[in-house]
Amino acid sequence: MECISVLKELSVHTAVSGYEKSMADYIKESFGKDCDSVEEDRFYNVIGIKKGNKSNKKIMITAHYDEIGFLVSGIDEKGFLRFTSVGGIDPKILLAQEVIVHGRSDLLGIIGAKPPHLLKPEEAKKAVKMGELRIDMGMTPEKVREQVSIGDLITFKAVPFELQGKKLSSKTLDNRCGVTSLIEILKELRPFKFDSDIYVVATTQEEVGLTGVEIASYNLQPDIAIVIDACHGDIPDAPKGEAYALGKGPAVAIGPNLHPKLTKKVIEIAKSENIPYQIDIERGDTGTEAWATQVSRSGIPTILLSIPVRYMHTTVETVHANDIENTAKLAARFIVKAETEMEELLCF
Amino acid sequence: MLLKELTELNGISGNEDAVREYIKNKVSEMNLECKTDSIGNVIVHKKGSSSDYKIMLSAHMDEIGFIVTGYGENGTLKFKTVGGIDERILPGKRVVIGNSKIPGVIGCKPIHMQEREERGINIKLKSLYIDIGAEKKEEAEKLAPLGDYISFHSEYVEFGEECVKAKALDDRVGCAVLIEMLKGQYEFDLYACFTVQEEVGLRGSEVAAYNVNPDIALIIEGTTCSDVPEVDKQDYSTLLGEGAALTIMDRTSYADKNLVRLIYDLSKKYGIKVQFKQTTTGGNDAGKIQRSRSGVKVASISVPCRYIHSPVSVMSKRDYESCKEIVSLALREMSRNTDYIQTIKNGGTVDV
């Protein structure tokens, strides 16, 4: 259950895309104990380095640590905040929601809802739009203007909730569950010595266009990339084939975005090591960092492992601890194998 | 702290046990006797110095919530609302189920999976479900049996300028005011009634009023406060921070004009912020108490609560203080001048 407490802790930190600096130190510290060195680049990507004996090859594992959020876009005459989203957020989940406005200090704000008896019949049916919502700061307009400026960040208030059967519900599990598995991978790799350099990278600005990973891939020029991200968890109303069961292991992606031989290898390893996994068929853009790594510089052979997350991009994202652990286990086993068989694996 | 403790208790209509126990303990700490009647109301009788009159204070212990009605094959819970809840606010909220407080979340389809037309319409209550993390129907049944009550999970937090965010401010604010009023000593007999099942049809107060048979009743409530964006000014029911609100009429009752005037004039005379509720929507226990036996003179004194019936109700501590001061002032003045009570009963006006 240690993994749940790591994830819980990671989920309460805030790092809205483009504003990850405040969380970078925390991640550096988490990587520190199992790395030879930890670096941070201009985009606040945090890179944990395990130096190899020969350093002739490089393997990079990424998981983004940025999160969706909001920016203050205005203050109305009554002191309520207007806001706009950073990343894709469904306005329907925002009614009666608590947020933290990062003004001069961190302030609680409430996204209210128009009282139901004042809704016109068509309003009751139609989903609310982001532009119609406001944040109530419980302050006079003067006080709000003193404390909050246009452009200030807003995040969901984190209230981690442990559910039955090793499941955690919180904000930002997409993709702090991936970051948790990076920490787990480092633990799994402890007993091994490598010839290659291993880079464990917590990346930034994924939610606004895979920016962080693009920079990190260019800088590190790895021979292989392993991307760890979130996929949709199984829910009753999910379209068939688009969601993956919680607790049944990582989803291994197959499709043009991924390197076929490496993907085959990782599936083989899962089978031989009895690590549960699921297959995720991606006919094109995976919508993950794999899309960026694959074509970085002269191209990086990439695989994608995804952790099922229910209710993605809400305040109650839900994951199963086993899936994080199994993702880490599979990735670590893959690194060990790929490291020795790289030449053979990379030729077509 | 009274209000924090009260709002963090769960007491859905029909399952007010936790609130009742809390109040009974508080009352016994004050060395007062209380009775619990057949429907579950807690009635505290504080004997007056002369006992010529009976004044009833009423606040309801129950809050809106949900009840478990079934299961999905995958271990999710189906539920229905208890009391009036705007279904639009439910997706993505945290809840706790039953007395063992099993944590759960109200799931919803991620935006990435919604078809274009789904994005534009609200999710219907009947297609919502609660995820407690159970993998199978049998596991869910065991942890959250049919009929278990479900409440929102929301902590009491003070924020902004003298504001509070909590669930169940409607009507734990009333309960808190009643507990405070029991500290006073009055000429008349005071009956503090902590009622049940207000949210499902004012059930408890009907029984309580019959049992107490008061001369005058003051109903202490959390009421709607709609001074929020997207609402026209003429629809503002109350204003946050402008003091406790007096009701003139609502869907269930017609407050006694003379009693309301007395309370208003007293508040003004002593410089306590007070306002009138300016819409006639909503209703409260006054509706039943007024019609009890041969009729009771009633007035409602309420703390304005934005986003009422949601996990994030917001009130101003200043309005709560105003409410306490007004109720206390009205009781004190009626205690000093018990002829006020007789005048109000006879339908007369009192000048202060």
Side-chain angles (χ1 to χ4, degrees):
Chain A
M1 290 299 268
E2 199 198 324
C3 151
I4 288 264
S5 52
V6 172
L7 178 59
K8 203 191 261 186
E9 190 64 30
L10 283 168
S11 80
V12 294
H13 277 80
T14 62
V16 174
S17 309
Y19 299 83
E20 298 90 348
K21 193 173 170 36
S22 55
M23 193 181 172
D25 283 344
Y26 182 79
I27 295 184
K28 273 192 224 166
E29 212 187 296
S30 317
F31 285 176
K33 20 186 193 302
D34 284 308
C35 291
D36 298 312
S37 62
V38 185
E39 291 172 2
E40 181 185 318
D41 70 16
R42 280 182 204 153
F43 277 70
Y44 312 122
N45 292 309
V46 176
I47 304 144
I49 305 165
K50 278 174 82 75
K51 264 282 176 238
N53 296 329
K54 293 188 187 147
S55 292
N56 50 349
K57 297 281 180 197
K58 298 179 214 165
I59 299 177
M60 173 177 84
I61 314 108
T62 76
H64 72 89
Y65 76 97
D66 61 314
E67 69 184 276
I68 53 167
F70 314 88
L71 296 171
V72 177
S73 61
I75 300 169
D76 75 12
E77 66 286 350
K78 291 194 65 182
F80 288 79
L81 308 182
R82 284 196 296 274
F83 58 93
T84 185
S85 69
V86 178
I89 301 175
D90 184 356
K92 293 198 285 289
I93 66 144
L94 297 179
L95 296 168
Q97 198 68 260
E98 293 172 60
V99 294
I100 303 295
V101 177
H102 304 272
R104 279 179 184 268
S105 57
D106 288 356
L107 303 160
L108 178 69
I110 306 294
I111 304 177
K114 189 172 172 178
H117 63 272
L118 295 175
L119 291 176
K120 297 178 193 87
E122 66 273 14
E123 273 183 310
K125 230 182 131 203
K126 266 213 305 235
V128 69
K129 294 196 180 71
M130 190 89 61
E132 296 160 3
L133 294 169
R134 298 286 183 274
I135 296 172
D136 185 344
M137 300 302 295
M139 293 177 190
T140 57
E142 299 72 42
K143 185 87 176 164
V144 171
R145 283 193 198 95
E146 197 185 294
Q147 295 290 324
V148 183
S149 306
I150 290 176
D152 281 353
L153 280 179
I154 304 161
T155 50
F156 286 129
K157 182 177 156 185
V159 185
F161 233 42
E162 278 186 43
L163 305 184
Q164 303 300 312
K166 294 172 79 178
K167 295 183 194 78
L168 181 76
S169 168
S170 189
K171 79 164 179 65
T172 330
L173 299 189
D174 165 17
N175 184 24
R176 303 284 158 79
C177 64
V179 178
T180 308
S181 76
L182 292 184
I183 296 168
E184 293 287 316
I185 288 170
L186 286 170
K187 278 194 223 156
E188 294 276 344
L189 294 180
R190 273 177 201 164
F192 300 95
K193 290 266 177 275
F194 298 101
D195 285 340
S196 312
D197 291 341
I198 314 287
Y199 297 99
V200 170
V201 189
T203 56
T204 56
Q205 297 192 38
E206 189 269 356
E207 298 288 2
V208 292
L210 317 177
T211 312
V213 80
E214 201 171 316
I215 306 295
S217 306
Y218 181 92
N219 286 339
L220 302 173
Q221 293 188 65
D223 298 281
I224 288 178
I226 303 165
V227 171
I228 299 175
D229 205 343
C231 62
H232 290 293
D234 56 342
I235 54 172
D237 42 358
K240 248 193 149 55
E242 283 183 38
Y244 301 87
L246 258 64
K248 297 203 171 150
V252 181
I254 298 177
N257 187 189
L258 297 318
H259 193 272
K261 277 178 96 174
L262 291 181
T263 301
K264 216 174 135 197
K265 189 77 198 169
V266 77
I267 293 172
E268 258 175 50
I269 294 169
K271 279 186 186 153
S272 65
E273 302 272 340
N274 273 325
I275 301 168
Y277 71 98
Q278 313 178 58
I279 294 288
D280 162 17
I281 303 295
E282 293 288 345
R283 65 191 186 91
D285 184 354
T286 52
T288 68
E289 294 185 319
W291 197 243
T293 56
Q294 189 184 27
V295 293
S296 177
R297 294 218 191 206
S298 53
I300 306 168
T302 300
I303 63 163
L304 170 62
L305 303 180
S306 300
I307 301 167
V309 173
R310 285 182 186 154
Y311 324 120
M312 205 186 278
H313 288 198
T314 72
T315 49
V316 295
E317 292 181 341
T318 301
V319 302
H320 196 304
N322 288 359
D323 292 334
I324 299 173
E325 285 162 0
N326 283 321
T327 301
K329 219 179 266 175
L330 182 56
R333 301 284 194 282
F334 175 78
I335 292 164
V336 174
K337 270 266 190 269
E339 211 254 341
T340 51
E341 299 172 18
M342 199 171 307
E343 295 289 344
E344 184 198 333
L345 281 170
L346 294 185
C347 63
F348 269 95
Chain B
M1 195 199 154
L2 205 53
L3 206 49
K4 176 179 165 61
E5 289 168 0
L6 278 165
T7 53
E8 288 182 356
L9 294 170
N10 297 330
I12 310 305
S13 312
N15 184 38
E16 297 89 351
D17 297 359
V19 186
R20 183 163 40 240
E21 281 314 302
Y22 177 89
I23 289 170
K24 279 161 78 176
N25 281 335
K26 275 279 162 209
V27 169
S28 75
E29 279 169 24
M30 297 164 86
N31 292 318
L32 292 168
E33 296 280 322
C34 68
K35 271 193 217 149
T36 303
D37 69 13
S38 65
I39 198 167
N41 300 311
V42 175
I43 299 174
V44 188
H45 176 200
K46 185 149 189 181
K47 198 112 190 72
S49 325
S50 71
S51 294
D52 291 337
Y53 297 100
K54 290 193 269 189
I55 291 189
M56 171 175 174
L57 291 179
S58 180
H60 65 91
M61 297 188 284
D62 62 311
E63 69 187 288
I64 51 97
F66 315 91
I67 191 164
V68 178
T69 57
Y71 310 90
E73 282 309 321
N74 43 19
T76 54
L77 309 182
K78 292 180 182 155
F79 64 96
K80 285 206 163 109
T81 53
V82 176
I85 302 179
D86 180 0
E87 61 188 26
R88 296 180 311 147
I89 69 163
L90 299 181
K93 297 300 174 304
R94 282 167 286 269
V95 294
V96 292
I97 300 121
N99 295 336
S100 42
K101 298 191 179 167
I102 303 286
V105 298
I106 302 178
C108 61
K109 203 192 260 189
I111 185 161
H112 327 68
M113 283 185 169
Q114 296 172 24
E115 304 285 346
R116 188 174 292 275
E117 54 276 18
E118 277 182 286
R119 291 190 183 194
I121 52 168
N122 287 316
I123 307 167
K124 286 271 158 223
L125 183 69
K126 59 176 189 289
S127 50
L128 290 170
Y129 51 87
I130 293 170
D131 185 349
I132 58 170
E135 323 251 321
K136 290 201 171 62
K137 188 179 163 190
E138 296 70 34
E139 187 190 352
E141 272 175 322
K142 218 164 121 193
L143 291 162
L146 283 179
D148 256 17
Y149 290 91
I150 305 164
S151 49
F152 283 122
H153 171 81
S154 177
E155 285 173 1
Y156 171 99
V157 182
E158 297 187 1
F159 79 111
E161 291 172 287
E162 302 276 317
C163 282
V164 164
K165 180 277 317 186
K167 71 170 183 66
L169 284 171
D170 171 15
D171 181 27
R172 304 290 155 70
V173 282
C175 296
V177 171
L178 259 58
I179 291 170
E180 296 288 347
M181 293 311 123
L182 283 169
K183 291 176 184 163
Q185 185 57 49
Y186 310 99
E187 195 68 18
F188 45 78
D189 279 0
L190 181 74
Y191 290 83
C193 301
F194 301 89
T195 62
V196 295
Q197 298 189 30
E198 192 265 2
E199 299 291 0
V200 292
L202 323 178
R203 311 295 294 163
S205 61
E206 187 166 4
V207 175
Y210 183 90
N211 285 338
V212 172
N213 191 20
D215 296 298
I216 282 177
L218 301 179
I219 291 79
I220 319 302
E221 261 286 9
T223 194
T224 61
C225 178
S226 49
D227 63 339
V228 295
E230 300 282 310
V231 174
D232 292 335
K233 260 204 169 107
Q234 77 256 20
D235 291 327
Y236 286 1
S237 46
T238 57
L239 299 168
L240 201 78
E242 292 303 312
L246 304 179
T247 301
I248 294 167
M249 74 170 285
D250 61 23
R251 276 194 307 106
T252 58
S253 73
Y254 206 163
D256 183 74
K257 292 182 201 65
N258 299 318
L259 183 56
V260 171
R261 196 189 125 181
L262 170 64
I263 297 167
Y264 184 80
D265 288 351
L266 281 171
S267 309
K268 284 287 171 194
K269 183 177 169 187
Y270 288 92
I272 305 167
K273 260 194 177 177
V274 65
Q275 60 182 318
F276 284 107
K277 182 177 169 186
Q278 300 190 42
T279 57
T280 55
T281 49
N284 64 34
D285 280 339
K288 289 294 180 193
I289 298 169
Q290 179 171 49
R291 288 172 186 75
S292 184
R293 296 204 191 213
S294 53
V296 178
K297 301 287 185 187
V298 297
S300 295
I301 306 168
S302 306
V303 177
C305 297
R306 285 177 181 162
Y307 327 121
I308 202 164
H309 289 201
S310 90
V312 295
S313 307
V314 170
M315 67 153 214
S316 164
K317 285 204 278 180
R318 292 172 190 151
D319 294 338
Y320 172 61
E321 289 304 319
S322 147
C323 184
K324 275 199 300 197
E325 283 173 36
I326 291 172
V327 178
S328 158
L329 177 64
L331 293 179
R332 191 186 78 203
E333 290 299 309
M334 287 193 285
S335 179
R336 279 187 191 160
N337 312 283
T338 45
D339 55 312
Y340 287 2
I341 304 172
Q342 191 58 47
T343 310
I344 298 283
K345 267 188 82 175
N346 294 343
T349 57
V350 178
D351 290 313
V352 294

